[in-house]
Amino acid sequence: MSETSAFAPLPEPPYHAVIFASLRRGPDLGYADMARRMMALAERQPGYLGVESCRGEDGFGITVSYWQDAAAVAAWKQQAEHLLAQKLGKARWYAHYVLRVARVERHYEGPEGRPH
Amino acid sequence: MSETSAFAPLPEPPYHAVIFASLRRGPDLGYADMARRMMALAERQPGYLGVESCRGEDGFGITVSYWQDAAAVAAWKQQAEHLLAQKLGKARWYAHYVLRVARVERHYEGPEGRPH
């Protein structure tokens, strides 16, 4: 991985963030495949800006996707719910999750300018 | 870890989120100690609501701290910068980081009601 490939681009604020915190449980049962599909679907959505994601060894993870505006978030929510509804249910993969929709007002980066 | 201990509480929106994405590099050099101090300091700040954090094996991590309002975020920023300035420099611990300040407008949780 390059030093910045895990970071989402930084468009001019304001933009929106969907913060998805989750605790995975049990065996994979198709989770990795679903997660890949979700990311591929997100990238094709209008207003998609990027995503940042990590999961620790304890199963707790955070994925933040970034969107141009509230309309893009709403459209993505509909698509994501449709995809999940086709699957065997969220309860299968997560012990618990919290999803927050937020408006990014400003950002900073460091410790030096981001290489491009 | 209990199934919900990694999750921050869910106060009534709106509230604020500070999304800190970072790529760690090199040896620890006091990083774990600094991170613990930062969390202890955050918990004592006025307007602190909670924190969620994870880091993957690739060194990329996301920490989201939640705050009552913009004033609480500003006060925390000042405290955090003061603490960091006393240390040997952020460049020592991070290959790159991005910090975003956002206003949480709504949230959901699942797959069932959160146990308390």
Side-chain angles (χ1 to χ4, degrees):
Chain A
M1 187 178 68
S2 85
E3 293 209 334
T4 57
S5 64
F7 293 89
L10 293 173
E12 195 67 29
Y15 51 94
H16 278 65
V18 176
I19 306 166
F20 182 73
S22 65
L23 183 62
R24 286 268 296 120
R25 70 167 168 198
D28 187 280
L29 293 170
Y31 177 78
D33 178 58
M34 182 279 292
R36 272 192 299 273
R37 283 187 194 210
M38 289 286 271
M39 284 302 96
L41 186 63
E43 286 171 15
R44 291 198 302 269
Q45 283 289 117
Y48 172 81
L49 299 175
V51 69
E52 293 169 349
S53 190
C54 66
R55 189 169 299 280
E57 289 177 8
D58 58 1
F60 185 78
I62 300 174
T63 295
V64 190
S65 58
Y66 299 99
W67 302 89
Q68 193 62 57
D69 49 34
V73 172
W76 164 240
K77 180 172 186 286
Q78 200 166 33
Q79 286 294 311
E81 285 175 349
H82 182 65
L83 180 66
L84 282 173
Q86 295 171 335
K87 305 292 167 186
L88 290 167
K90 291 166 280 186
R92 184 166 184 169
W93 293 308
Y94 298 118
H96 191 73
Y97 66 81
V98 175
L99 186 153
R100 294 176 180 91
V101 179
R103 182 176 184 271
V104 178
E105 295 168 344
R106 57 190 188 279
H107 57 225
Y108 316 88
E109 64 180 331
E112 62 276 306
R114 178 177 181 175
H116 284 284
Chain B
M1 188 177 69
S2 84
E3 292 209 334
T4 57
S5 64
F7 294 88
L10 293 172
E12 194 68 28
Y15 52 94
H16 278 65
V18 176
I19 307 166
F20 182 72
S22 64
L23 184 61
R24 285 268 296 119
R25 69 167 169 199
D28 187 279
L29 294 170
Y31 176 77
D33 179 56
M34 182 280 291
R36 270 192 301 273
R37 285 185 193 211
M38 290 287 271
M39 283 303 95
L41 186 63
E43 286 171 16
R44 292 197 301 270
Q45 283 290 117
Y48 172 81
L49 298 174
V51 68
E52 293 169 349
S53 189
C54 67
R55 189 169 302 279
E57 289 177 8
D58 58 1
F60 185 77
I62 300 173
T63 296
V64 191
S65 58
Y66 299 99
W67 302 88
Q68 194 60 59
D69 49 35
V73 172
W76 164 239
K77 180 171 187 285
Q78 201 166 32
Q79 285 296 309
E81 285 175 350
H82 181 65
L83 180 66
L84 282 173
Q86 294 171 335
K87 304 293 167 186
L88 290 167
K90 291 167 279 185
R92 184 166 185 169
W93 293 307
Y94 300 118
H96 192 72
Y97 66 81
V98 176
L99 186 153
R100 295 175 179 90
V101 179
R103 183 177 184 271
V104 178
E105 296 168 343
R106 57 190 188 278
H107 57 225
Y108 317 87
E109 64 181 331
E112 63 275 308
R114 179 178 182 176
H116 287 283

